Amino acid sequence: MKTQLQNNQFNICILIMVLAATGMVMAVHPFTAVVFFPSFAVFCFCVFFVVHAHKRHMAALDQMQKVLAQEKTAREKTQKDLIRVSENAEQAMKIKDEFLANMSHEIRNPMNGIIGMMHVLKDSDLTEEQRKYADIVYSSAQALLVIVNDILDLSKIEAGKLELDIRPFDLEIGIRDMVSLPELQARQKGIDFSFHIDPQVPRLLKGDIGRLRQIILNLIGNAVKFTESGSVSLAVTLNFDEETRACLHFSVEDTGIGIKDATISRIFESFSQADVSTTKRFGGTGLGLSISRLLVEKMGGRIGAESFELVGSTFWFDLVFEKSSCQEILVDSGDLSVSDCRLLLVSDIPGAAKNLERQIQHLGIAPELALDGTDAFDRLLSAQELSHPFHVVLMDVQESSRFAQQLGEKISNKNMLAGLKLILITGVGQQGDAREFEKIGFSAFLSKPVDQVLLADCIRTVVARPHTSQKDPLPIITRYSIQENRKQAHRILVVEDMEINRITARTLISRLGYAIDEAADGKHALEKHVQAPYDLILMDCQMPVMDGYEATRKIRHLEDQQKLDRVPIIAMTGNAFEQDRNKCFAAGMDDFITKPVQPDMLAKKILLYLFAASDADPDKTAEPDPDSGLPPEDSMRFNKEQLWERFGHDGEMIQEILSSFFQETPDLLTDLADAVEKQDIQAITACAHALKGSAANVNADRLKDIARGLEQDAAKKDRTTLQKRYDEIFKEYEMFAGETAQ
């Protein structure tokens, strides 16, 4: 309104100026006014138009500035609102993380107390009914702890606070350890389980083996849970292989209930399952696949699934790993006898480490027991002052890891205790604990159950390690690294006169993660084996100087003369006729591989003979007389106490192992009966060896001894006692089955 009034006033002024100018001209020159007036009027109109347009433009500009000012104010307000929302979200996330951490801590503490005290209870004298109830409480507590850990993992990943623990590892050893329990669970349900690692896949890698285990167990666990009949399988293949890294493809396939097309797109979402009926029927939180997806993405990979309802599913993921070398994995276990080690044992629960104390005593070590952390620290200082220091402190955690953290930090910060090695054995560990204890200064971290061999290897390896500062510690020793070290300790000799064949064998075996040596003929191989015996020899048959047959005979003769352990010798031959095979066996070879060598078959043969040889019984005094048809008098039918000790009194695990034994042995006995009837010495040897190992695994000592006797008779080709031995085996198996059922 004000602007319009100003415009009207301006127009009136222009009109008055025109009239005044016209009047002045007419007063002076009336004739000129007639000519001047129109021109002057046009001029005034133009001035009027320009000025008016300028006014309108200025008004529009003023309006635009007001709009811009309003938009700026609104934008600033929006930015402030966004900042405030972001801050609120961050604060909410922080509060949520703190809440979950606190709740996890509050839940985990009583859960760890329950689990820890259940370990103590299960180590005590219980009736069968009491032990059954204790096993139920223990397994239920473990299941609840898994759920708590899953929720905490999900929170950590979503908040970007999950750190990967990158270490060198052996893929083959890791996979075998991962599938051991789900394999037993599958067999108990009557489901076939298998796994396969393509020979082209490099075994020595770098990555977070703990998180890889978590992903694979999630996928296999789901496959077993949702499969009522048929099979579950795990396959590891190679996507690409470069000089310093490789991309692996993992797939878990099952013949289970399958997933509908409408729901498979959301199967990796948190708290999601195929449908409500699935949750009701099978249970579960639906977190496993979500965590697996987040972990795979955190590791730079991708994950997916294909499924047909009522046919089955395939879950897969791809990950890129850096390659490692044997030197990065191999740890010097030293020559120190464990019996020379001074060891201090302390537990977070006074008097709770009885089972562990017995294991240590069986190794020939007399451990000193500390009452608590304070007593342990005082004993360490006193021993150091008396110049009789301890080598190792072994902490047994049954309730809370905080005890070990505090004592470990106290020891690591004491200069006079530098060089003391710390080992933690825990029943309440979780993902990432090993890395945290490594930072404190611990040398080894083992989760229960821990058998005697593992414990001895751990102590020996720890003591042999050089002392390092807490700021730059050596990688912590775990169950995986000890198993990998055992694998790397095996020495394989390849005997082959053709260089191309040696290169092929070297490439294939190195890819499997084993250390190898080479010889160009039998004479060279014999000399090398005499200097430093090998664990396995791959022997070409036809070579110059000394062929494989003669070299094998000389090695066997040397073993007999010097009472050496028998080294497995596998022939590598281009001849596949029966007479050629018999010639290999007659020379003393254990097996053969035909050329060209197939990578998959080579891997199976190496695994069979290396680890079958390492499973030999340590107590040679219990060896039965091969000429006798009966086991030793003191041989027990079912050494139940030793079985429970070996598996840490884990009743659920022991039941699964026994179930697996009774599922597999009838077929093995049928094959053995056919072989005895046909007098097939090779098949008898194989069946007897397999039965001996299975019986030893369930502590069926008498059955194991009879099977060993049959194996020895078959090796001697003593056909007169074969049927008698088989009858004894069958009778003993039935009596063992009856005793375990009581």
Side-chain angles (χ1 to χ4, degrees):
M1 188 71 182
K2 182 179 179 181
T3 303
Q4 185 177 1
L5 180 60
Q6 291 175 345
N7 290 338
N8 292 336
Q9 291 174 349
F10 175 76
N11 295 338
I12 293 171
C13 290
I14 292 295
L15 181 59
I16 293 171
M17 287 173 62
V18 171
L19 294 175
T22 303
M24 289 173 63
V25 172
M26 289 181 68
V28 178
H29 300 287
F31 177 79
T32 307
V34 176
V35 179
F36 170 76
F37 178 76
S39 300
F40 184 72
V42 171
F43 170 75
C44 289
F45 177 77
C46 291
V47 171
F48 165 75
F49 180 79
V50 171
V51 173
H52 186 68
H54 176 70
K55 287 285 187 178
R56 292 180 60 188
H57 174 71
M58 292 302 294
L61 186 61
D62 183 58
Q63 185 65 27
M64 186 179 297
Q65 287 176 343
K66 290 180 180 180
V67 172
L68 290 175
Q70 291 173 352
E71 289 181 353
K72 181 180 179 182
T73 303
R75 186 166 59 251
E76 289 175 351
K77 183 177 182 300
T78 302
Q79 289 176 344
K80 290 179 180 179
D81 290 342
L82 288 174
I83 292 172
R84 186 171 59 256
V85 169
S86 177
E87 290 175 349
N88 291 340
E90 290 178 1
Q91 183 66 20
M93 182 66 73
K94 183 178 179 181
I95 292 172
K96 186 197 80 169
D97 291 341
E98 290 175 353
F99 171 76
L100 286 173
N102 290 333
M103 286 302 299
S104 173
H105 176 75
E106 294 302 323
I107 295 174
R108 200 188 305 276
N109 270 346
M111 288 304 304
N112 286 344
I114 294 171
I115 293 171
M117 292 311 298
M118 289 309 301
H119 278 295
V120 177
L121 181 61
K122 290 168 70 177
D123 283 344
S124 61
D125 294 329
L126 300 175
T127 65
E128 288 298 324
E129 186 176 13
Q130 289 170 335
R131 191 170 296 281
K132 178 181 177 182
Y133 295 154
D135 289 338
I136 292 173
V137 174
Y138 178 77
S139 60
S140 299
Q142 289 283 17
L144 182 56
L145 193 59
V146 167
I147 295 174
V148 173
N149 288 337
D150 280 349
I151 294 174
L152 188 61
D153 275 347
L154 184 65
S155 173
K156 284 182 178 179
I157 298 171
E158 290 181 340
K161 294 183 177 180
L162 182 74
E163 295 182 6
L164 298 177
D165 187 12
I166 307 299
R167 299 176 184 275
F169 69 92
D170 187 305
L171 179 68
E172 183 175 11
I173 289 176
I175 293 292
R176 288 186 178 279
D177 183 77
M178 293 172 197
V179 303
S180 57
L181 183 57
E183 182 176 12
L184 288 172
Q185 293 170 339
R187 289 181 178 177
Q188 194 167 12
K189 287 184 67 175
I191 302 169
D192 291 333
F193 182 89
S194 63
F195 73 93
H196 173 72
I197 305 175
D198 191 283
Q200 301 300 318
V201 173
R203 266 48 172 188
L204 304 182
L205 304 168
K206 284 182 182 178
D208 192 332
I209 183 68
R211 295 301 177 183
L212 177 62
R213 174 190 179 91
Q214 189 174 357
I215 297 166
I216 290 177
L217 287 183
N218 274 337
L219 298 185
I220 296 179
N222 280 346
V224 172
K225 181 166 69 171
F226 295 118
T227 301
E228 297 296 334
S229 63
S231 63
V232 172
S233 63
L234 166 67
V236 186
T237 55
L238 188 66
N239 279 349
F240 66 77
D241 189 6
E242 298 176 351
E243 184 177 354
T244 59
R245 63 180 193 147
C247 181
L248 307 188
H249 178 78
F250 300 81
S251 62
V252 176
E253 185 174 351
D254 66 64
T255 57
I257 60 175
I259 305 170
K260 297 178 181 178
D261 291 339
T263 57
I264 196 169
S265 60
R266 58 181 175 85
I267 200 68
F268 290 102
E269 296 176 4
S270 301
F271 304 100
S272 174
Q273 286 192 334
D275 53 43
V276 177
S277 62
T278 300
T279 305
K280 290 180 179 178
R281 182 180 174 189
F282 295 99
T285 61
L287 285 176
L289 290 178
S290 175
I291 291 173
S292 297
R293 174 182 64 83
L294 293 170
L295 287 174
V296 168
E297 292 174 353
K298 174 75 174 178
M299 298 165 77
R302 60 194 187 100
I303 189 170
E306 295 91 31
S307 183
F308 294 95
E309 191 175 7
L310 303 179
V311 176
S313 306
T314 300
F315 284 81
W316 57 267
F317 63 96
D318 296 334
L319 287 176
V320 176
F321 294 97
E322 290 184 34
K323 293 182 179 179
S324 66
S325 62
C326 295
Q327 289 72 23
E328 289 181 279
I329 291 180
L330 189 60
V331 178
D332 183 13
S333 59
D335 298 323
L336 177 71
S337 171
V338 292
S339 60
D340 297 329
C341 174
R342 263 202 98 203
L343 186 145
L344 180 65
L345 175 62
V346 58
S347 175
D348 58 341
I349 302 177
K354 296 293 184 183
N355 187 46
L356 189 57
E357 181 185 2
R358 288 194 296 269
Q359 281 186 297
I360 296 171
Q361 289 171 342
H362 288 160
L363 298 177
I365 301 175
E368 286 194 27
L369 269 66
L371 298 176
D372 51 32
T374 302
D375 183 42
F377 191 71
D378 292 341
R379 285 172 181 262
L380 293 173
L381 295 179
S382 177
Q384 192 73 29
E385 291 170 355
L386 295 173
S387 300
H388 190 46
F390 287 95
H391 299 102
V392 174
V393 177
L394 197 155
M395 303 183 199
D396 178 36
V397 171
Q398 306 208 35
E399 186 172 288
S400 173
S401 59
R402 185 60 187 158
F403 155 79
Q405 290 173 345
Q406 291 174 340
L407 181 56
E409 290 170 350
K410 196 173 180 181
I411 293 172
S412 297
N413 292 331
K414 193 69 174 178
N415 291 333
M416 69 181 299
L417 297 179
L420 185 65
K421 306 300 170 60
L422 307 180
I423 299 176
L424 177 65
I425 297 180
T426 177
V428 294
Q430 57 178 313
Q431 291 284 355
D433 276 358
R435 183 174 64 251
E436 295 303 317
F437 282 99
E438 179 183 78
K439 294 176 181 177
I440 293 173
F442 278 76
S443 297
F445 178 95
L446 300 178
S447 56
K448 294 180 180 181
V450 176
D451 60 44
Q452 199 162 307
V453 176
L454 180 65
L455 182 60
D457 286 348
C458 179
I459 294 174
R460 187 181 298 110
T461 305
V462 163
V463 172
R465 279 188 148 194
H467 171 65
T468 58
S469 66
Q470 188 176 347
K471 293 181 179 180
D472 188 26
L474 291 170
I476 198 166
I477 295 167
T478 63
R479 182 185 299 269
Y480 285 120
S481 63
I482 292 173
Q483 292 172 341
E484 290 161 357
N485 196 47
R486 288 177 187 167
K487 179 177 179 179
Q488 294 302 318
H490 288 300
R491 302 175 66 246
I492 300 176
L493 177 64
V494 176
V495 189
E496 174 65 66
D497 62 319
M498 297 290 292
E499 184 178 4
I500 184 63
N501 290 340
R502 290 201 301 274
I503 293 173
T504 301
R506 182 196 315 143
T507 302
L508 294 177
I509 296 171
S510 297
R511 186 182 291 273
L512 296 173
Y514 297 98
I516 69 167
D517 201 356
E518 300 172 11
D521 56 65
K523 183 173 182 294
H524 189 203
L526 180 62
E527 292 171 350
K528 295 184 73 121
H529 184 63
V530 169
Q531 292 173 358
Y534 291 90
D535 300 293
L536 177 66
I537 298 177
L538 299 172
M539 183 82 74
D540 185 26
C541 294
Q542 298 179 358
M543 295 178 292
V545 185
M546 182 186 292
D547 62 28
Y549 304 114
E550 182 64 21
T552 301
R553 283 191 287 268
K554 288 184 177 295
I555 290 173
R556 298 300 181 219
H557 180 68
L558 180 69
E559 291 170 345
D560 291 339
Q561 276 189 329
Q562 300 185 13
K563 307 298 182 184
L564 301 174
D565 292 335
R566 180 185 176 94
V567 58
I569 300 177
I570 301 176
M572 294 193 300
T573 175
N575 301 323
F577 296 108
E578 188 65 28
Q579 60 267 29
D580 299 306
R581 300 182 180 187
N582 292 335
K583 189 176 179 180
C584 292
F585 294 132
M589 297 181 182
D590 299 279
D591 209 333
F592 60 89
I593 299 175
T594 56
K595 296 178 182 177
V597 175
Q598 298 298 319
D600 197 24
M601 181 57 66
L602 178 63
K604 290 180 179 178
K605 296 288 187 183
I606 291 175
L607 187 66
L608 172 66
Y609 283 96
L610 277 185
F611 292 96
S614 65
D615 288 339
D617 297 313
D619 187 4
K620 295 298 182 182
T621 61
E623 188 89 358
D625 182 356
D627 296 327
S628 169
L630 297 173
E633 292 295 328
D634 59 348
S635 180
M636 296 178 63
R637 172 163 290 122
F638 180 29
N639 195 338
K640 186 176 181 180
E641 182 179 353
Q642 190 175 25
L643 178 67
W644 279 83
E645 282 189 4
R646 282 173 54 220
F647 291 98
H649 293 273
D650 188 338
E652 184 179 359
M653 172 70 79
I654 291 170
Q655 186 58 47
E656 288 177 346
I657 291 170
L658 287 171
S659 298
S660 178
F661 172 80
F662 288 121
Q663 285 177 6
E664 295 177 345
T665 305
D667 292 338
L668 187 59
L669 290 176
T670 301
D671 294 341
L672 181 58
D674 293 341
V676 169
E677 184 179 354
K678 297 175 183 177
Q679 297 286 291
D680 186 341
I681 296 297
Q682 183 181 352
I684 292 171
T685 302
C687 290
H689 182 83
L691 181 59
K692 180 185 73 174
S694 297
N697 196 41
V698 294
N699 285 95
D701 294 351
R702 199 170 295 178
L703 180 61
K704 175 195 69 177
D705 292 336
I706 301 174
R708 182 196 285 117
L710 176 59
E711 184 182 19
Q712 292 171 343
D713 288 349
K716 294 178 180 178
K717 296 182 174 56
D718 184 1
R719 302 175 188 271
T720 60
T721 63
L722 297 181
Q723 186 62 48
K724 179 183 176 183
R725 293 279 193 185
Y726 172 76
D727 292 339
E728 292 168 357
I729 285 174
F730 189 82
K731 180 180 178 182
E732 181 59 33
Y733 169 73
E734 289 187 326
M735 297 181 72
F736 173 77
E739 186 165 329
T740 57
Q742 294 177 358

